[in-house]
């Protein structure tokens, strides 16, 4: 198996297609990247800028460059000695535009007898033989069940049904005898609709009455059953070609937790690719381990991101920030209870359709069990599940823990749990498999997409794949985790930013500083809330941290729009005052007014400028430390597009904005300036060393320091390359710097590849070694 020394993630879009990406590969090579890492390439929904809504599996998206574009990029990569890693989406397909997905179109047209009907996870019986499509707006449901704005139109293959901009097929023979006798055009269309294998229903029905499995709660992403051999073969037809023709070297698997049997899927994928390098987008909770039986090199790096952020967070800030959060919220935040309650809301709300389907499966074995009690019990069990999912028989302990917690919370359901437990613990039972597929959805929607926006203690910790209740990680604990990583997952990915992170790496680096100056943050926040009040001061703290994190002195022209977009998404995802489906105009107006004040109020700008003056330099230290650690720790480092300079993106779609590669190439060549040039220098130096000297990164050993400032250092030896980084820089400055603290290097003379400074093992004073940068990357000089 070929393993990359590093990767560089590119978002391939119609505007930045494979040909454009191929033209950028020389820059990535000069930067030091070993492989290029591409977002999904298969044909996707028209206008999709992310590619996770695949509509056809037999060709590369023409809008992204098509087959020729991939061939051109692969050929360029080969000329440069680079590999190619591609993101794939096995769990679901895009169905927003039915005519674009031939399988979905066929199922809508022919129903359960369609050739590809078994490709989709549909409960036909629950829909009385019809597939429910939740698209009808509230104003279009007329008395008697008629759907307004429904019309029969002529298509290239005969009659079709149109509802606003949505077009659907008509089954053969179902419109032939419908005409004048049916009455009005709308009545005629509704009569035709009543004869179809699908039923257009209210969008509200998605929560409670949907009968096909989705990606999370996205109605326009329908799940496919890759556990079936023919479905796997058809959905991986083009992917197989990539490997047969040597176009691609590795894969990143999106959302494996949605699959019925991730282990079997990865085994099938290994057979298809000849055992190629494969990563999985798996989120691990603290203490959870990736199943060792999986055919994968490891995760995509959220676990690495979480530990790096906490390594650089001052534990002394936890209590004062807790006190501030309590003051803002009016009561202490119990994170565990919040998580439980938000997950229960999801199980009872937007994913209730999935809970009801699990119960329908269970009641085939337990026909006397009342459905309402079983639904209550299953929803509560999901709310009590401490990790995303189990993989029975692996992970049975997580199911047992969830049952115990559910029984504690709901003793009235004891008998119901006694009845359910043997069945949900059966690895071969359909209901147990479906439960496992669903528990991860409940976790993601309840925690990442809701609770993360309701706790503002220190929002750099509210990141995908992280537990915000874990405030910090000690140096000793970091070393322990790295030793395990070296032994068990040496080729798993490390990252700091992705297309899914809630805040870019340098936004988090700035927010992290607040843990070292909680009193100053509290004073500034109280003043900001006074000058630009918002209805919920707790949300205000989250908002102002985002503003501080994305703050740029020159006020980029797009910053106001970006902050307004973030504010809207954050408050609607939080869902406690306003939502996507029921926005509270007064609440939202007040929040947007606070964002406007960033750019219109001299007093607000003064507070922000003063706070930024305190944060800027330690944030720079944090950013460089995090970058160097991520690039040199055990694993395969990934650089998300553009993050070799400051990465101040917020949540998607902000983190998928176009990147100015011309500027980055010019900075790298020394032809243009940028205030993040030091970060680019660290990135290029570390990537190049990893690619050119892989033998220096084969082991792991802690490196200590001697002296009173030693607790501000994190250092480790990877087998000849020694990473040295500053942590808690505010506290370091307060004590007067490094003083006489020295680095306990292995014997020999060492050279810093960042500055050219050399030092001997016995006299490595940190004040000298870190005089230029807060980080160093040392290699032993040749004798």
């Amino acid at each position: 198996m070929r393993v990359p020394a590093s990767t560089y993630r590119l978002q391939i879009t119609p505007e930045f297609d494979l040909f454009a990406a191929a033209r950028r590969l020389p820059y990535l090579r000069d930067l030091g990247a070993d492989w290029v890492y591409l977002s999904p390439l298969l044909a996707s929904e028209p206008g999709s800028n992310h590619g996770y809504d695949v509509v056809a599996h037999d060709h590369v998206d023409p809008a992204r460059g098509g087959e020729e574009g991939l061939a051109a990029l692969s050929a360029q990569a080969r000329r440069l000695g680079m590999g190619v890693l591609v993101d794939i989406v096995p769990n679901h397909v895009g169905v927003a535009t039915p005519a674009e997905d031939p399988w979905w179109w066929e199922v809508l047209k022919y129903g359960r007898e369609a050739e590809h009907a078994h490709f989709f996870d549909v409960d036909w019986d629950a829909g009385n033989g019809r597939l429910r499509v939740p698209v009808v707006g509230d104003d279009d449901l007329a008395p008697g069940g008629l759907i307004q704005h429904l019309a029969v139109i002529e298509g290239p293959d005969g009659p079709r049904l149109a509802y606003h901009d949505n077009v659907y097929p008509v089954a053969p023979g179902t419109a032939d005898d419908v005409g004048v006798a049916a009455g009005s055009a709308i009545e005629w269309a509704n009569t035709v609709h009543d004869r179809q294998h699908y039923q257009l229903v209210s969008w509200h029905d998605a929560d409670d009455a949907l009968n096909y499995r989705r990606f999370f709660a996205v109605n326009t992403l329908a799940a496919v059953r890759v556990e079936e051999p023919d479905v796997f073969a058809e959905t991986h037809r083009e992917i197989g070609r990539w490997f047969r023709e040597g176009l691609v070297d590795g894969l990143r698997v999106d959302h494996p937790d949605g699959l019925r049997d991730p282990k079997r899927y990865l085994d099938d994928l290994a057979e298809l690719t000849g055992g190629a390098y494969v990563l999985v987008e798996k989120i691990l909770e603290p203490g959870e381990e990736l199943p060792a039986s999986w055919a994968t090199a490891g995760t995509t790096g959220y676990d690495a991101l979480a530990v790096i952020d906490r390594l650089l967070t001052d534990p002394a800030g936890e209590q004062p920030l807790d006190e501030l959060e309590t003051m803002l919220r009016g009561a202490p935040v119990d994170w565990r209870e919040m998580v439980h309650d938000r997950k229960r809301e999801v199980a009872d709300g937007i994913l209730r359709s999935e809970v009801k389907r699990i119960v329908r499966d269970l009641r085939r074995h337990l026909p006397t069990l009342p459905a309402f009690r079983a639904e209550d019990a299953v929803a509560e069990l999901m709310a009590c599940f401490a990790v995303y999912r189990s993989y029975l028989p692996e992970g049975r302990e997580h199911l047992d823990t969830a049952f115990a917690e559910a029984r504690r919370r709901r003793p009235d359901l004891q008998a119901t749990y006694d009845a359910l437990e043997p069945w949900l613990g059966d690895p071969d039972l359909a209901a147990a498999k479906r439960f496992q597929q669903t528990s991860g959805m409940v976790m993601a929607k309840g925690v990442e997409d809701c609770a993360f926006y309701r706790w503002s203690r220190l929002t750099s910790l509210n990141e995908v794949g992280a537990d915000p209740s874990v405030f910090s990680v000690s140096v000793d604990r970091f070393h322990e985790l790295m030793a395990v990583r070296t032994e068990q997952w040496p080729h798993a990915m490390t990252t700091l930013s992705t297309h899914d992170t809630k805040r870019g790496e340098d936004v988090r680096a700035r927010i992290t500083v607040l843990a070292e100056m909680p009193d100053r943050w509290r004073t500034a926040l109280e003043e900001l809330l006074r000058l630009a009040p918002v209805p919920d001061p707790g949300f205000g703290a989250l908002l102002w941290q985002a503003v501080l994190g994305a703050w740029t002195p020159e006020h980029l022209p797009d910053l106001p729009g970006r902050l307004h977009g973030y504010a809207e998404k954050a408050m609607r995802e939080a869902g406690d005052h306003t939502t996507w489906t029921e926005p509270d105009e007064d609440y939202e107006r007040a929040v947007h007014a606070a964002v406007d004040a960033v750019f219109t109020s001299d007093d607000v700008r003064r507070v922000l400028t003063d706070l930024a003056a305190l944060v800027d330099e330690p944030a720079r230290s944090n950013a460089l430390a995090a970058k160097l650690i991520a690039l040199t720790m055990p694993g395969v480092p990934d650089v998300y597009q553009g993050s070799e300079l400051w990465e101040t993106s917020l949540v998607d779609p902000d983190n998928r904005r176009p990147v100015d590669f011309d500027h980055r190439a010019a900075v790298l060549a020394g032809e243009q300036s940028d205030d993040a040039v030091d970060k680019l220098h660290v990135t290029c130096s570390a990537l190049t060393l990893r690619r050119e000297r892989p033998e220096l990164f084969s082991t792991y050993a802690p490196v200590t320091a001697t002296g009173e400032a030693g607790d501000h250092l994190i250092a480790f030896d990877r087998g000849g390359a020694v990473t040295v980084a500053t942590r808690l820089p505010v506290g370091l400055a307060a004590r007067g710097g490094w003083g006489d603290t020295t680095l306990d290097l292995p014997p020999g003379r060492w050279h810093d590849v960042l500055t050219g400074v050399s030092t001997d093992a016995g006299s490595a004073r940190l004040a000298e070694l870190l005089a230029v940068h807060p980080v160093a990357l040392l290699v032993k000089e040749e004798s």
Side-chain angles (χ1 to χ4, degrees):
M1 177 178 70
R2 183 182 176 189
V3 176
S6 64
T7 62
Y8 189 103
R9 168 81 177 209
L10 292 175
Q11 295 296 112
I12 305 301
T13 67
E15 294 73 30
F16 184 81
D17 64 11
L18 288 160
F19 292 105
R23 292 192 291 271
R24 296 300 179 185
L25 292 189
Y27 162 69
L28 301 190
R29 175 71 184 178
D30 290 344
L31 186 66
D34 191 28
W35 287 21
V36 62
Y37 167 23
L38 307 175
S39 61
L41 300 179
L42 295 177
S44 59
E45 285 280 355
S48 171
N49 67 353
H50 52 75
Y52 289 94
D53 43 8
V54 173
V55 297
H57 294 80
D58 58 353
H59 62 280
V60 175
D61 194 344
R64 287 172 165 75
E67 181 178 339
E68 297 80 6
L70 179 58
L73 180 137
S74 182
Q76 176 73 313
R78 300 301 179 239
R79 283 192 289 271
L80 295 169
M82 300 178 73
V84 179
L85 179 73
V86 180
D87 199 343
I88 62 170
V89 191
N91 179 70
H92 53 267
V93 297
V95 297
T97 314
E100 294 292 327
D101 189 319
W103 298 343
W104 187 252
W105 184 264
E106 174 199 281
V107 172
L108 293 175
K109 188 170 186 176
Y110 297 105
R112 67 198 310 170
E113 302 305 320
E115 178 184 356
H116 293 93
H118 71 288
F119 278 40
F120 298 95
D121 196 353
V122 181
D123 187 349
W124 292 97
D125 292 340
N128 296 316
R130 302 176 75 184
L131 176 61
R132 292 173 179 154
V133 182
V135 295
V136 181
D138 293 341
D139 296 335
D140 288 341
L141 285 175
L146 287 180
I147 301 173
Q148 302 294 329
H149 299 106
L150 190 66
V152 177
I153 63 173
E154 194 62 33
D157 55 350
R160 294 182 173 185
L161 277 175
Y163 173 68
H164 293 289
D165 294 333
N166 303 300
V167 178
Y168 303 93
V170 168
T174 58
D176 297 346
D177 60 343
V178 181
V180 178
S184 70
I186 288 180
E187 290 174 333
W188 174 29
N190 275 270
T191 300
V192 173
H193 167 259
D194 290 344
R195 297 179 174 186
Q196 301 313 307
H197 298 286
Y198 57 88
Q199 179 184 10
L200 305 184
V201 298
S202 168
W203 65 274
H204 294 287
D205 289 346
D207 293 355
D208 191 64
L210 205 66
N211 64 334
Y212 65 92
R213 185 167 60 86
R214 304 161 288 174
F215 170 71
F216 294 167
V218 183
N219 300 332
T220 55
L221 296 176
V224 290
R225 302 174 65 234
V226 292
E227 66 270 13
E228 297 297 327
D230 61 330
V231 180
F232 178 89
E234 287 299 307
T235 54
H236 290 70
R237 178 183 297 183
E238 173 68 1
I239 294 167
R241 181 184 75 84
W242 299 344
F243 285 90
R244 289 193 303 273
E245 297 183 10
L247 298 169
V248 169
D249 303 287
L251 300 172
R252 178 258 198 198
V253 177
D254 181 69
H255 190 49
D257 277 351
L259 307 180
R260 175 155 286 207
D261 188 347
K263 180 185 182 303
R264 176 180 163 187
Y265 171 78
L266 291 168
D267 287 341
D268 292 342
L269 197 63
E271 183 176 354
L272 177 76
T273 64
Y277 181 75
V278 169
L279 296 167
V280 290
E281 187 214 17
K282 167 62 185 169
I283 293 175
L284 299 169
E285 293 299 302
E288 184 185 6
E289 296 181 359
L290 189 68
S293 61
W294 285 12
T296 178
T299 73
T300 52
Y302 295 131
D303 44 335
L305 178 159
V307 72
I308 293 170
D309 282 348
R310 282 152 182 79
L311 174 68
L312 301 177
T313 300
D314 188 354
E318 183 170 11
Q319 181 177 339
L321 290 175
D322 273 339
E323 293 171 353
L324 174 59
E325 183 78 354
T326 297
M327 184 272 290
L328 295 170
R329 302 284 179 182
V333 173
D334 187 325
W335 175 248
R336 296 300 165 208
E337 286 302 306
M338 181 189 290
V339 166
H340 170 273
D341 293 349
R342 300 294 77 75
K343 289 173 67 178
R344 182 65 205 243
E345 285 179 0
V346 168
D348 289 338
I350 58 175
L351 291 178
R352 182 165 170 77
S353 291
E354 299 298 330
V355 171
K356 293 174 72 173
R357 187 168 181 187
I358 292 167
V359 170
R360 289 197 296 272
D361 285 349
L362 285 166
R363 292 185 75 236
R364 294 189 177 98
H365 309 281
L366 299 164
T368 62
L369 184 66
F372 75 94
R373 291 192 70 82
E375 290 167 10
D376 188 8
V378 169
E380 182 64 30
L381 191 63
M382 289 197 175
C384 294
F385 220 81
V387 298
Y388 272 67
R389 61 167 288 178
S390 57
Y391 310 93
L392 295 176
E394 290 187 85
R396 175 60 196 246
E397 68 276 11
H398 301 305
L399 181 63
D400 292 341
T401 299
F403 266 109
E405 178 64 7
R407 286 185 169 101
R408 184 189 70 81
R409 289 177 177 270
R410 295 294 304 276
D412 58 309
L413 292 174
Q414 177 72 44
T416 304
Y417 285 128
D418 289 345
L420 294 178
E421 188 165 14
W423 298 99
L424 289 178
D426 183 346
D428 298 321
L429 196 72
K433 293 178 179 180
R434 188 171 301 283
F435 179 91
Q436 293 178 103
Q437 289 176 285
T438 307
S439 63
M441 297 190 227
V442 172
M443 175 76 90
K445 296 306 297 180
V447 181
E448 292 173 32
D449 293 345
C450 184
F452 273 12
Y453 294 97
R454 293 199 191 184
W455 200 20
S456 51
R457 177 178 67 172
L458 188 68
T459 58
S460 55
L461 305 178
N462 299 16
E463 196 46 82
V464 177
D467 183 341
S469 69
V470 179
F471 193 84
S472 62
V473 167
S474 69
V475 171
D476 287 345
R477 179 58 178 158
F478 177 83
H479 289 317
E480 291 172 2
L481 293 170
M482 293 307 101
V484 172
R485 188 179 180 91
T486 302
E487 180 181 355
Q488 298 182 2
W489 301 104
H491 305 310
M493 183 172 277
T494 69
T495 191
L496 289 177
S497 298
T498 76
H499 62 286
D500 277 334
T501 40
K502 304 293 186 185
R503 296 161 188 82
E505 60 200 58
D506 298 318
V507 174
R508 301 197 310 277
R510 293 175 66 80
I511 295 171
T512 296
V513 177
L514 302 180
E516 289 200 79
M517 51 176 67
D519 293 338
R520 290 179 180 262
W521 163 237
R522 179 170 184 155
T523 299
L525 176 62
E526 289 174 346
E527 183 68 357
L528 289 167
L529 293 174
R530 183 187 68 81
L531 293 169
V534 294
D536 180 351
F539 180 81
L542 180 139
L543 177 65
W544 287 114
Q545 286 177 64
V547 173
L548 176 66
W551 179 262
T552 53
E554 66 273 20
H555 302 310
L556 296 175
D558 62 350
L559 188 57
R562 291 173 52 214
L563 289 177
H564 278 294
Y566 174 79
E568 178 182 80
K569 182 166 186 174
M571 60 183 157
R572 291 182 178 182
E573 295 282 69
D576 47 356
H577 299 288
T578 186
T579 67
W580 292 107
T581 55
E582 296 182 6
D584 183 318
E585 293 183 5
D586 291 338
Y587 179 87
E588 295 195 359
R589 188 180 301 112
V591 171
H592 285 298
V595 175
D596 285 333
V598 174
F599 307 98
T600 62
S601 169
D602 291 339
D603 289 336
V604 167
R605 194 158 51 249
R606 172 185 52 77
V607 176
L608 282 172
T609 301
D610 290 348
L611 183 60
L614 297 173
V615 166
D616 287 347
E617 191 57 31
R620 173 181 174 273
S621 178
N622 284 345
L624 296 183
K627 199 65 174 178
L628 184 61
I629 293 167
L631 293 173
T632 58
M633 67 189 280
V636 174
D638 175 58
V639 175
Y640 184 64
Q641 61 174 26
S643 67
E644 61 270 35
L645 295 180
W646 298 137
E647 165 57 327
T648 56
S649 296
L650 298 168
V651 71
D652 68 277
D654 192 53
N655 54 19
R656 302 175 187 180
R657 289 171 295 141
V659 173
D660 187 345
F661 284 108
D662 288 336
H663 173 61
R664 282 160 175 77
V667 175
L668 183 63
E671 298 167 356
Q672 290 183 14
S673 62
D674 193 285
D675 65 353
V677 65
D678 289 346
K679 187 182 183 193
L680 185 143
H681 177 54
V682 167
T683 302
C684 180
S685 300
L687 288 178
T688 302
L689 189 65
R690 289 208 69 155
R691 186 183 66 200
E692 304 301 327
R693 301 286 306 278
E695 74 279 4
L696 300 180
F697 297 89
S698 57
T699 60
Y700 185 89
V703 175
T704 59
T706 300
E708 61 181 15
D711 56 345
H712 290 277
L713 181 82
I714 174 66
F716 48 84
D717 182 356
R718 290 300 324 280
V722 174
T723 292
V724 184
T726 302
R727 58 189 296 270
L728 315 186
V730 175
L732 179 64
R735 72 192 310 163
W738 293 107
D740 293 330
T741 305
T742 58
L743 184 65
D744 303 329
L745 282 169
R749 186 163 177 80
W750 295 80
H751 172 80
D752 180 11
V753 301
L754 301 180
T755 62
V757 171
S758 294
T759 186
D760 290 312
S763 58
R765 296 182 70 249
L766 287 168
E768 298 171 0
L769 186 62
L770 302 180
V772 177
H773 303 302
V775 295
L777 181 57
L778 307 177
V779 294
K780 188 176 292 188
E781 292 185 358
E782 300 292 338
S783 58

